[in-house]
């Protein structure tokens, strides 16, 4: 059961422009959402997160937006840099954090 | 402490053989997780430990899979009688129960298993 979905397998953006990665979820029990970035031959690394009590969280160039009614979240990267090129995974968990569910990932390519 | 480490990084085995992977979490982390990732998919939860207790197992974890964390520190994941469908990246992650980062799981580099 795919409870977390990333419908765009890839995204290509020009350096300096905004990258928007999208994620949808189906389980209304999820109350914490995370974005992970993964480079080849490495494990996922935590990027940014948001609790369901918020609708926006910002950290430098990265902002995550949460729309609970639509069960949708997005990650905005602005300005995009070539070093941002990686696979981005959306993940969701419940308060007990026992079982984090991941989307299939979106491969972001930022072109110089 | 430099993060979560996993050993080996790569394992090639023949169908029917047993394999064992090791994970060393970040030293003060209480929780340790195992995930499996196949090509084009995100990590799929297999099991997790809180200290030495295995508290949850996914239905993905068949009887051929067993995980241990005997002293609440490192963990091992064993796959018996490997099948070609077991070929995947096996990821370990750890997290702390306390503090502002308790939701975040920190991942190791993974062990890539190839079953011939």
């Amino acid at each position: 059961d795919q409870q977390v979905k990333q419908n765009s397998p890839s995204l290509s953006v020009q350096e300096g422009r905004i990258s928007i990665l999208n994620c949808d979820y189906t389980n209304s029990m999820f109350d914490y959402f995370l974005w992970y970035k993964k480079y080849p031959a490495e494990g996922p690394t935590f990027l940014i997160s948001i609790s369901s009590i918020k609708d926006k969280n910002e950290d430098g160039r990265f902002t995550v937006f949460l729309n609970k009614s639509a069960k949708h979240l997005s990650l905005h990267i602005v300005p995009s840099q070539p070093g941002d090129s990686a696979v981005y995974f959306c993940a969701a968990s419940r308060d007990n954090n026992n079982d984090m569910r991941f989307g299939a990932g979106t491969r972001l390519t930022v072109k110089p | 402490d430099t993060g979560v480490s996993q050993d080996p990084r790569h394992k090639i085995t023949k169908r029917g053989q047993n394999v064992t992977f090791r994970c060393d979490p970040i030293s003060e982390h209480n929780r340790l997780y195992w995930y499996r990732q196949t090509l084009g998919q995100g990590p799929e939860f297999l099991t997790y430990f809180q200290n030495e207790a295995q508290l949850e197992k996914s239905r993905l974890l068949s009887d051929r899979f067993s995980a241990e964390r005997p002293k609440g520190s490192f963990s091992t994941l064993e796959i018996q009688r490997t099948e070609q469908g077991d070929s995947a990246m096996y990821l370990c992650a750890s997290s702390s129960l306390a503090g502002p980062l308790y939701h975040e799981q920190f991942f190791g580099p993974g062990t890539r298993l190839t079953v011939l």
Side-chain angles (χ1 to χ4, degrees):
Chain A
D1 58 341
Q2 198 73 15
Q3 296 189 32
V4 179
K5 297 180 182 180
Q6 294 177 257
N7 292 320
S8 298
S10 63
L11 175 68
S12 182
V13 170
Q14 204 68 32
E15 180 179 7
R17 305 296 292 268
I18 186 170
S19 297
I20 301 176
L21 296 95
N22 293 302
C23 177
D24 297 289
Y25 62 96
T26 57
N27 189 341
S28 58
M29 297 298 290
F30 289 139
D31 58 8
Y32 203 83
F33 305 90
L34 308 92
W35 284 94
Y36 282 81
K37 180 168 72 173
K38 186 181 185 304
Y39 293 118
E42 296 181 10
T45 56
F46 170 74
L47 186 60
I48 192 170
S49 62
I50 188 167
S51 164
S52 60
I53 62 173
K54 296 184 177 182
D55 55 17
K56 177 182 175 181
N57 187 29
E58 190 172 353
D59 183 4
R61 298 185 297 114
F62 303 91
T63 303
V64 56
F65 295 92
L66 175 62
N67 182 335
K68 288 189 292 293
S69 61
K71 294 190 179 68
H72 177 84
L73 63 155
S74 60
L75 174 68
H76 293 209
I77 307 173
V78 56
S80 301
Q81 299 174 353
D84 296 329
S85 297
V87 177
Y88 289 78
F89 291 102
C90 169
S93 70
R94 294 167 293 172
D95 184 66
N96 58 16
N97 198 27
N98 295 345
D99 178 2
M100 192 157 63
R101 300 297 179 103
F102 285 81
T106 297
R107 180 176 300 279
L108 173 66
T109 302
V110 180
K111 297 180 179 179
Chain B
D1 189 8
T2 56
V4 179
S5 61
Q6 292 186 247
D7 183 70
R9 295 292 303 274
H10 303 274
K11 179 70 177 179
I12 300 174
T13 191
K14 292 182 179 179
R15 189 176 54 186
Q17 298 294 305
N18 299 345
V19 295
T20 300
F21 309 141
R22 176 179 170 126
C23 170
D24 287 89
I26 293 172
S27 58
E28 63 271 19
H29 281 185
N30 315 87
R31 288 188 169 177
L32 186 148
Y33 307 81
W34 285 99
Y35 291 85
R36 180 176 69 186
Q37 185 180 13
T38 53
L39 196 62
Q41 299 298 317
E44 296 174 292
F45 170 80
L46 292 178
T47 188
Y48 98 98
F49 292 84
Q50 183 164 310
N51 300 314
E52 66 274 10
Q54 187 174 18
L55 295 186
E56 190 168 338
K57 293 193 288 187
S58 162
R59 61 178 182 272
L60 294 174
L61 210 68
S62 77
D63 291 344
R64 297 184 297 106
F65 288 69
S66 63
E68 294 182 345
R69 194 182 183 198
K71 297 181 180 179
S73 56
F74 73 92
S75 175
T76 58
L77 177 68
E78 181 183 17
I79 310 174
Q80 295 181 327
R81 305 181 303 280
T82 52
E83 301 173 356
Q84 287 183 327
D86 297 330
S87 296
M89 176 73 83
Y90 289 84
L91 292 163
C92 175
S94 69
S95 70
S96 173
L97 274 173
L101 298 179
Y102 83 97
H103 269 285
E104 283 95 32
Q105 296 180 17
F106 296 82
F107 283 83
T111 294
R112 181 168 294 285
L113 172 66
T114 302
V115 182
L116 301 176

